[in-house]
Amino acid sequence: MIKITLPDGSIREYESGISGMEIAESISSRLAKDVLSISVDGEVWDLSRPVTKDATIRLYTWDDRAGKETFWHSSAHLMAEAIEFFFPGTKFGIGPTVDTGFYYDIDLPAGQQISEKDLEKIEKKMLELAREKRDIVRSEISKDDALKMFGDKGDVLKLELISELADGTITIYNQGGFTDLCRGPHLPNTGYIKAVKLTSIAGAYWRGNEKNKMLTRIYGVTFPKQKMLDEYLALIEEAKKRDHRKIGKEMELFTFSQAVGQGLPLWLPKGAMLRQRLEDFLRKVQKKYGYEQVITPHIGQKELYVTSGHYAKYGQDSFRPISTPQEGEEFLLKPMNCPHHCEIFKWKPRSYKDLPIRMAEFGTVYRYEQSGELHGLTRVRGFTQDDAHLFCRPDQLKDEFKKVIDIIFIIFKALNFEDYTAQISLRDPNNPIKYIGSAENWEKAERAIVEACEEKGLKTVTELGEAAFYGPKLDFMIKDALGRSWQLGTIQVDYNLPERFDLEYIGADDKRHRPVMIHRAPFGSMERFVAVLIEHTAGKFPLWLTPEQVVVLPISEKYNDYAKSVLNYLNNSDIRAIIDDRNEKIGRKIRDNELKRIPYLLVVGEQESESQSVSVRKQGEGDKGSMSVDAFIEFINAEVKEQLSSFYN
RNA sequence: GCUGAUGUAGCUCAGGGGUAGAGCGCUUCCUUGGUAAGGAAGAGGUCGCGAGUUCAAAUCUCGCCCUCAGCUCCA
C-alpha cells in the first residue's frame, strides 16, 4: 500500500501502481470525468501512469493551467497526425502550448505549401481522429532506439532534439498510427477533444534562430466543449471591435503619419484633451501626496547616460547620439527621466529632514523599438511616462510604498479597473552576487514591499529571481472587461542610480548617507494607458474623462436657437457639450450620436423650449425623462463626483 | 531586424495593361420630422513612393516606405 496526500492535506491509502485516473474515480465520478492530468510530487504526469510510492498529488482539470496545457499538448499531437495524413513526409519540429492553445512547427515536403484554406480540412480530420477515442500511450525508450525510430522516418528536426537529450530520459507517445517524441504529459485518449479551431499560419525559425531554416508554424486552439469554442470565438470578435487602433481612429483620438515616422503617435485634439484630463487628475492626486512637479529637457549629454549605465547597456541598440557643430559634443534623446531627476536631487545639499523628496514629471522619452514590434499606442518609439522618483531614507521605504499603492488604487477606482493583482519581484536567493546594494538593504526593501502590500490588502503573487539587478519591484496587472490581462504601473526600488550618481544626504548623525530611490509610474505611459483604457471601455470612457459628455439634439431647425442657448449654458457651466444641428430627423441624430459614444443626449423641441427644460437620454439606456437644465447640470456633476469619490474622500 | 500578407476617396472596401468604382461621411436643395438610418443632386482620388518594361502602367517587374500577423527583442 502507498500513501497519497491530497491538496487539502488528507491522506488516502491505495495499492501501489494505482493510476491518477483511478485515484480520481475513487474520489468522485464527477472528478473522474473532468480530470485531465495529475501532478505527483510536483511533476505533472499522465493519468494512466502508475504511482508506485508515497506521494503528494494534485488532480488538474480544465480550470487549472496544467490541465489546459495537457489538453492542448495532446491537441498539438492530434494536429500533427492530421497534417501527416494530408502531407506525408512532413518533418515535425516542436509543438508546445501557448497562453491560449498551441502550435506546431513543421517542415513540409519540398514543393508543398499549406494555406489558410487547408486549415479547415485539417480541423475536420482532427475531429474525426478525436472521435475514434484512441488511447495515447506513453513509453520510455533508449536514445539509440529513438534515434533509429526517427532516423527511419527521416525526421531530421526530431533527431536534432533527441541528440541533445540524455539517455534514459526519452519518452515517446503514440496514438493510433502516430508517434511523437515528447516529454508529456498527455490526455488518456483523443476523445476529450471536442472542438477545434486552427487560428493562423505563420513563419518561424527553427529554434527561434534566424540563421536556421524557416518552418511553418500552425496555431490552433481546442476545447472540451463546442460551446467553449463558440464563446472563445465571440471573445476574439469582441476584442477586434475594441481594438484601440480602430476606436482611436473612429473617435479621432490619435493618428500616425508616415512622414513623421513610425511609432511616433500624433495626438488629435480630442485625444489630447482626454490625455490632459488624465494627467491633470494624476497631478492633483500627486500634489495631495506631496509630490513636486519638475520639468526636464528631452535630450541630455551622452555622458549623463554613460554615468547612469544606460549607454553601455542600450546605447548600441537605440537612437544614435545627436552631434552638434562643436567637435566632440554628443547628446542623446532621453530614454528615461531618472538621470535628469538625479541631477535635480544633486542640485543642492540635502538633509535627512528634506526626505522623502518626491519628484514628478510627465516626461517624454524615446526608445528605439524594433520596427516589427511597434503596435498602435501600446508599443511606440516616443511616449510620455507619468514618471516620479522618490528619494528617501531606507526606513521610509515602506511608508512611501504604501502611499504609492494608495495612488494606484485611486486611479483604478476612478477608471473602473476592479480586477487587479500585483506581482512582487524579489531576488533569486541562489544567486545573491547578481545584485547591487547591500544584503541588509535588500532585505529591508523586500520586507517593506511585502508588508506594504499586506497592510494595503493587495492580492499579490511573489516571484523569486524576477527583481532587477538594481532593486526589487512591484508590478500591477489589471484585467479588462474582456478578462484580458494588462501590465500597467510599476513601483521599483533602485540602489544603483543613487550609487552611480553619488547621491547623498546628511543624516541626523551629521554623516553622509545614500538615499534609496523609488521609480514609479501608475499609468506606465500615457500612450499605453490610453490604449488599455480604450480596450477596457470600448471607447465608452467614464463621464469625468470622456472628450464629449453631452450632445444637444434639436428636433427640427426651428429649435436650433433654443438648443444653442442650452449648449452655451452647459459650456459655461464646465460641461463638455456639443450640438448636432444638422438638418436630419431626431431618430437619425440619436443613432449617430449613440454611435459616437457620447454619454448624454439632450433632445429639445417644442415642449422643452416652452418649459426651458431638456429631455435626457443616456447612452445605451434610452429615455430618462425631462428636467430643467440646472437639474441636469447638477445631475452630471454628481455623477462625476461619484466617479472621483476615492480621490475626494 | 527577419518571414509572409497588405497599401485604391475622410472611413470601410470592390476592381484591374487603354486614364477610376460602391456604401458611409461631406456640401447644396427638398423635407421640419419626438427617441437608433427621410429623399435628391454635387464635390472629392498622381490608385503608398521611386525606377523599369510598354504605343499605353493604378494594374506587369524591381527597389524603398508604411500597415498587419507571426518570430526575435524590450531601460
Side-chain angles (χ1 to χ4, degrees):
Chain A
M1 296 296 270
I2 54 170
K3 286 194 173 71
I4 297 296
T5 310
L6 300 177
D8 64 2
S10 65
I11 296 173
R12 292 183 179 223
E13 291 212 351
Y14 294 99
E15 293 282 338
S16 175
I18 191 163
S19 70
M21 182 53 96
E22 287 161 341
I23 296 174
E25 279 165 358
S26 78
I27 296 172
S28 87
S29 57
R30 171 80 205 201
L31 184 59
K33 213 173 132 243
D34 289 345
V35 69
L36 299 173
S37 53
I38 178 174
S39 76
V40 178
D41 289 334
E43 204 184 346
V44 187
W45 284 17
D46 310 298
L47 289 172
S48 56
R49 201 165 154 189
V51 183
T52 54
K53 58 179 180 50
D54 291 355
T56 300
I57 64 134
R58 203 189 159 105
L59 294 164
Y60 293 119
T61 67
W62 182 259
D63 296 328
D64 301 295
R65 179 74 217 167
K68 281 197 184 78
E69 277 177 11
T70 303
F71 194 93
W72 285 331
H73 205 158
S74 295
S75 302
H77 281 217
L78 188 66
M79 179 171 81
E81 184 178 4
I83 290 168
E84 194 169 55
F85 175 84
F86 291 112
F87 301 91
T90 296
K91 297 177 183 62
F92 292 93
I94 54 165
T97 61
V98 291
D99 274 0
T100 310
F102 55 89
Y103 66 81
Y104 218 121
D105 283 346
I106 62 170
D107 187 14
L108 289 159
Q112 298 231 48
Q113 272 211 333
I114 200 162
S115 74
E116 305 269 344
K117 277 173 264 159
D118 297 316
L119 294 183
E120 206 171 318
K121 71 179 186 190
I122 296 171
E123 284 170 9
K124 280 209 183 101
K125 187 73 194 174
M126 284 173 72
L127 286 171
E128 192 182 304
L129 293 169
R131 262 182 245 117
E132 291 173 18
K133 287 193 186 165
R134 286 161 318 155
D135 289 337
I136 304 177
V137 183
R138 174 181 191 272
S139 30
E140 297 175 10
I141 61 170
S142 71
K143 190 161 178 172
D144 285 344
D145 287 347
L147 288 171
K148 185 170 184 314
M149 176 183 279
F150 288 94
D152 289 348
K153 257 180 96 183
D155 211 331
V156 290
L157 303 175
K158 291 292 182 192
L159 287 176
E160 191 181 325
L161 294 173
I162 295 165
S163 70
E164 291 166 18
L165 295 173
D167 200 1
T169 62
I170 297 172
T171 54
I172 55 167
Y173 281 82
N174 174 275
Q175 77 220 24
F178 182 79
T179 303
D180 200 357
L181 172 77
C182 185
R183 194 185 298 123
H186 282 280
L187 299 171
N189 66 64
T190 57
Y192 285 70
I193 299 165
K194 296 279 204 280
V196 175
K197 178 72 190 172
L198 301 186
T199 44
S200 67
I201 301 177
Y205 296 104
W206 170 234
R207 321 200 88 177
N209 185 333
E210 62 185 69
K211 292 192 182 70
N212 288 338
K213 187 168 186 187
M214 170 73 72
L215 304 179
T216 304
R217 174 169 298 181
I218 304 180
Y219 284 87
V221 63
T222 52
F223 295 91
K225 283 179 187 155
Q226 179 63 37
K227 195 174 152 226
M228 289 174 154
L229 173 60
D230 295 341
E231 282 166 4
Y232 169 75
L233 294 175
L235 190 73
I236 301 278
E237 271 310 300
E238 183 58 27
K240 261 190 211 159
K241 280 187 212 150
R242 286 170 178 248
D243 190 314
H244 74 277
R245 292 167 298 183
K246 179 174 173 281
I247 292 180
K249 197 184 259 180
E250 281 169 14
M251 294 183 75
E252 302 183 359
L253 299 175
F254 59 89
T255 187
F256 291 89
S257 145
Q258 286 191 33
V260 173
Q262 57 178 161
L264 300 170
L266 305 175
W267 291 81
L268 301 173
K270 284 179 198 174
M273 263 161 59
L274 178 124
R275 171 175 155 175
Q276 247 157 34
R277 226 167 346 263
L278 273 173
E279 290 182 2
D280 287 344
F281 176 64
L282 184 55
R283 238 181 235 121
K284 269 188 210 158
V285 175
Q286 287 180 164
K287 194 176 170 203
K288 193 171 150 184
Y289 278 84
Y291 287 61
E292 298 167 297
Q293 291 290 138
V294 296
I295 297 171
T296 65
H298 287 217
I299 61 173
Q301 286 202 80
K302 183 179 143 189
E303 282 309 307
L304 184 68
Y305 300 100
V306 172
T307 301
S308 72
H310 294 120
Y311 188 75
K313 196 151 186 229
Y314 300 103
Q316 293 309 308
D317 305 315
S318 196
F319 287 116
R320 315 311 302 178
I322 303 161
S323 49
T324 67
Q326 177 86 37
E327 196 67 28
E329 248 189 349
E330 284 187 301
F331 291 86
L332 284 180
L333 281 168
K334 71 176 172 188
M336 55 213 339
N337 304 298
C338 348
H340 290 75
H341 290 185
C342 284
E343 289 300 313
I344 293 182
F345 182 88
K346 283 179 82 171
W347 158 66
K348 65 176 185 181
R350 306 287 185 173
S351 148
Y352 73 99
K353 293 178 195 162
D354 298 333
L355 303 186
I357 288 168
R358 308 184 187 89
M359 218 180 274
E361 175 174 17
F362 289 93
T364 305
V365 297
Y366 300 90
R367 298 176 186 178
Y368 183 81
E369 305 293 352
Q370 290 188 46
S371 64
E373 197 50 41
L374 299 170
H375 180 93
L377 284 186
T378 57
R379 201 92 174 119
V380 289
R381 285 179 171 167
F383 57 96
T384 302
Q385 296 178 306
D386 55 323
D387 212 355
H389 295 98
L390 316 183
F391 300 87
C392 65
R393 305 192 306 258
D395 62 289
Q396 294 172 322
L397 207 52
K398 182 170 143 190
D399 248 16
E400 288 309 304
F401 243 87
K402 280 163 76 177
K403 285 180 192 160
V404 176
I405 293 173
D406 282 340
I407 292 176
I408 289 174
F409 281 176
I410 288 173
I411 288 166
F412 285 176
K413 170 84 202 319
L415 295 161
N416 300 327
F417 288 116
E418 274 150 21
D419 192 352
Y420 49 82
T421 54
Q423 177 182 318
I424 304 175
S425 301
L426 305 179
R427 275 172 305 179
D428 178 355
N430 300 319
N431 194 4
I433 47 162
K434 205 178 118 185
Y435 304 97
I436 187 172
S438 73
E440 187 198 348
N441 273 342
W442 267 85
E443 220 153 274
K444 219 183 267 177
E446 291 183 346
R447 207 169 45 234
I449 296 178
V450 171
E451 286 176 9
C453 291
E454 272 170 17
E455 286 167 33
K456 287 290 163 196
L458 191 59
K459 264 194 292 177
T460 58
V461 289
T462 303
E463 295 290 339
L464 296 177
E466 285 291 304
F469 75 94
Y470 51 85
K473 62 176 177 174
L474 181 66
D475 290 311
F476 283 81
M477 309 281 300
I478 59 107
K479 266 203 179 156
D480 73 9
L482 296 190
R484 299 170 300 174
S485 284
W486 300 85
Q487 204 213 303
L488 285 183
T490 162
I491 319 177
Q492 169 107 49
V493 178
D494 187 351
Y495 294 113
N496 182 43
L497 288 182
E499 200 70 38
R500 284 179 166 271
F501 280 91
D502 196 21
L503 305 183
E504 47 190 31
Y505 63 90
I506 308 297
D509 56 3
D510 199 29
K511 294 212 170 70
R512 292 161 188 276
H513 297 273
R514 191 71 80 211
V516 186
M517 199 171 164
I518 300 174
H519 310 250
R520 45 107 281 180
F523 292 147
S525 78
M526 301 312 295
E527 286 74 8
R528 190 180 153 76
F529 190 78
V530 167
V532 173
L533 198 56
I534 290 172
E535 305 221 353
H536 178 54
T537 60
K540 293 174 188 167
F541 300 111
L543 189 63
W544 71 271
L545 185 64
T546 200
E548 285 148 355
Q549 297 171 307
V550 178
V551 58
V552 186
L553 309 179
I555 297 244
S556 80
E557 290 181 336
K558 277 190 247 164
Y559 310 105
N560 278 359
D561 285 344
Y562 175 65
K564 277 176 193 160
S565 73
V566 171
L567 177 74
N568 282 335
Y569 194 68
L570 290 171
N571 283 332
N572 289 337
S573 310
D574 288 327
I575 306 276
R576 299 185 291 279
I578 55 168
I579 186 167
D580 183 353
D581 56 4
R582 289 176 305 163
N583 181 5
E584 293 290 350
K585 285 188 177 172
I586 191 65
R588 180 56 185 272
K589 293 186 189 182
I590 285 169
R591 178 185 153 79
D592 288 349
N593 287 286
E594 286 267 348
L595 292 174
K596 277 169 78 181
R597 305 175 175 88
I598 299 178
Y600 286 100
L601 284 62
L602 300 185
V603 177
V604 297
E606 190 177 356
Q607 293 158 32
E608 289 78 11
S609 69
E610 272 169 18
S611 62
Q612 296 289 296
S613 66
V614 291
S615 188
V616 180
R617 184 187 162 103
K618 189 163 186 180
Q619 207 262 353
E621 292 180 23
D623 198 351
K624 295 275 169 191
S626 65
M627 59 178 85
S628 74
V629 184
D630 281 325
F632 176 69
I633 289 170
E634 210 170 292
F635 177 76
I636 290 255
N637 286 337
E639 187 176 334
V640 166
K641 201 165 174 200
E642 162 59 26
Q643 287 174 350
L644 300 180
S645 61
S646 62
F647 170 57
Y648 289 112
N649 287 341

